[in-house]
Amino acid sequence: MNVQQMELTASHPLALPVGVTLDRYIMHRQTAFPYATGELSQLLRDIALAGKIIHREVNRAGLIDLTGGMGVQNVQGESQQKLDMIANIRFSRALKNGGEACAIISEEEEDIIYTGNNHGKYVVAIDPLDGSSNIDVNVSIGTIFSIYRRVTPIGTEPTLDDFLQGGRRQVAAGYILYGSSTIMVYTTGHSVNGFTYDASLGEYILSHPDIHSPANGQIYSYNDGNVEGYEEGVQQFLNGCRKKQFTARYIGSLVADFHRNLLKGGIYLYPPTQKAPDGKLRLLYEAFPLAFLAEKAGCLATSGHQAILDIKPYSLHQRTPLYIGAPLMVENLVGMLG
Ligand code: AHG
Ligand code: MN
Ligand code: MN
């Protein structure tokens, strides 16, 4: 039967409603909290909008010379890609124009970015483009964000204290994955929900309501090239995964690896290495937001010594080892660490 021949009844997949858009969902959630004033909702919409723009840039990158390096390094000493820069500009601009954030920190900039909106109640930490090494080869990349309510008085210039509150004080966190489709997954501390972007409508549609990750899994994700430098317990854990014939999957974009494991059940590991004795990943805009979201979805996230969310931050770009995913796998690993 071809489409013309199909009878378009109300129950036919082609005639089903489009679903709940992100905007409508955010609005609906806001009305569930009688004292919510709408600023956080607006901030989430600003982030979603920047995500749409980056979706567009990512999808036409190969056509308009947006791939390749800038020939410079970012504050992390890593070579900056053109899309890293573009994503950084897009997000900063969206948050400045939106007016709800008084300051931003970004992987791509050493210092606090002041938005000029000192009356904004929130600060945002972002990794504008995660998985830079995958940009030029059409492999999934992402954006990670973390939101705090500022602790400095409204109307004054925000300070470091606003960003160094600790992961448990996040009011919202999430990521946008630019993969085989683009999806925004976020939590405001209650449920975790995923919204797939329909580019033809220009809307994110609720596709993954109330995500609960499996308690156990069979996927393990790590960079095997670093394994020599891993401590004994991690190597032992990995040997166990091999013996049990688990599945090894490593994309090299944290967002993509995390998202897969969140849905299917698995563990992502970035232990300390010889090159990076404190780990590679950044606490404020990689580990904290994913750990916040992970815990809300039933996963665990640890540095090996403590829950990621209990780490006391002391600087904007500090790094941490990260073990994140299915709680039984994370507990098993932690039990093997010295
Ligand atoms: P970014 O592109 O934002 O610098 O992050 C890259 C991170 C993370 O996304 C990924 O999981 C990890 O680096 C990969 O590191 P290795 O190449 O060392 O495996
Ligand atoms: Mn990153
Ligand atoms: Mn990045």
Side-chain angles (χ1 to χ4, degrees):
M1 191 186 345
N2 63 30
V3 175
Q4 280 80 23
Q5 291 162 329
M6 285 177 185
E7 199 189 334
L8 287 178
T9 64
S11 63
H12 191 279
L14 288 176
L16 283 176
V18 165
V20 180
T21 66
L22 176 66
D23 281 357
R24 182 163 291 275
Y25 181 86
I26 291 175
M27 234 152 47
H28 174 72
R29 291 298 303 157
Q30 191 192 317
T31 53
F33 300 98
Y35 301 106
T37 48
E39 285 107 332
L40 181 60
S41 301
Q42 184 53 45
L43 185 51
L44 288 166
R45 286 197 290 263
D46 295 338
I47 290 172
L49 172 63
K52 286 185 197 177
I53 298 170
I54 294 168
H55 163 97
R56 188 189 66 187
E57 315 286 15
V58 164
N59 278 279
R60 61 180 186 173
L63 298 172
I64 54 164
D65 192 29
L66 289 182
T67 59
M70 292 289 293
V72 292
Q73 296 192 332
N74 66 13
V75 284
Q76 321 292 331
E78 293 154 353
S79 85
Q80 207 168 35
Q81 304 297 298
K82 288 181 197 162
L83 270 177
D84 280 327
M85 283 294 300
I86 289 169
N88 189 44
I89 292 168
R90 291 297 185 196
F91 266 95
S92 309
R93 205 179 277 163
L95 294 173
K96 279 179 189 166
N97 292 344
E100 314 301 347
C102 56
I104 309 162
I105 60 158
S106 160
E107 181 191 11
E108 304 303 332
E109 300 200 32
E110 183 141 22
D111 298 318
I112 296 177
I113 305 160
Y114 297 97
T115 59
N117 309 318
N118 283 352
H119 284 90
K121 287 185 187 160
Y122 295 96
V123 297
V124 182
I126 48 168
D127 178 353
L129 209 63
D130 172 68
S132 309
S133 68
N134 284 322
I135 292 173
D136 291 355
V137 288
N138 290 47
V139 175
S140 302
I141 48 185
T143 294
I144 312 176
F145 62 91
S146 160
I147 303 176
Y148 298 86
R149 191 182 283 272
R150 66 186 295 181
V151 288
T152 48
I154 292 171
T156 64
E157 181 149 291
T159 72
L160 264 185
D161 291 344
D162 293 311
F163 290 99
L164 301 181
Q165 298 184 41
R168 297 211 183 272
R169 295 190 48 103
Q170 291 173 93
V171 293
Y175 57 85
I176 303 166
L177 168 63
Y178 314 99
S180 51
S181 57
T182 290
I183 182 169
M184 174 163 161
V185 179
Y186 80 96
T187 181
T188 53
H190 306 279
S191 55
V192 175
N193 294 283
F195 299 81
T196 300
Y197 182 55
D198 182 335
S200 68
L201 293 176
E203 295 274 12
Y204 295 87
I205 309 290
L206 179 60
S207 53
H208 295 67
D210 199 12
I211 297 173
H212 290 275
S213 194
N216 208 350
Q218 304 207 337
I219 300 174
Y220 60 115
S221 313
Y222 72 104
N223 184 341
D224 193 63
N226 294 330
V227 81
E228 285 296 312
Y230 291 173
E231 69 178 274
E232 181 68 29
V234 177
Q235 298 205 23
Q236 214 185 315
F237 173 81
L238 294 172
N239 281 332
C241 292
R242 290 181 198 111
K243 283 217 179 75
K244 286 178 259 181
Q245 299 189 6
F246 284 179
T247 296
R249 287 282 183 273
Y250 189 70
I251 294 169
S253 294
L254 173 62
V255 170
D257 281 308
F258 175 81
H259 182 70
R260 181 200 51 242
N261 293 356
L262 178 77
L263 297 186
K264 294 194 167 184
I267 184 170
Y268 174 96
L269 309 88
Y270 211 111
T273 64
Q274 274 151 356
K275 263 191 287 175
D278 297 326
K280 177 185 182 191
L281 299 170
R282 279 55 59 112
L283 182 63
L284 266 66
Y285 40 82
E286 291 181 319
F288 268 169
L290 294 188
F292 187 68
L293 199 139
E295 285 200 4
K296 302 299 171 197
C299 295
L300 285 178
T302 169
S303 68
H305 301 290
Q306 63 184 143
I308 290 290
L309 294 178
D310 289 333
I311 298 175
K312 177 104 196 65
Y314 55 84
S315 87
L316 295 183
H317 300 286
Q318 84 192 67
R319 297 174 191 266
T320 178
L322 178 66
Y323 307 100
I324 189 166
L328 293 174
M329 295 179 94
V330 174
E331 275 165 4
N332 180 14
L333 167 74
V334 169
M336 294 181 183
L337 298 178

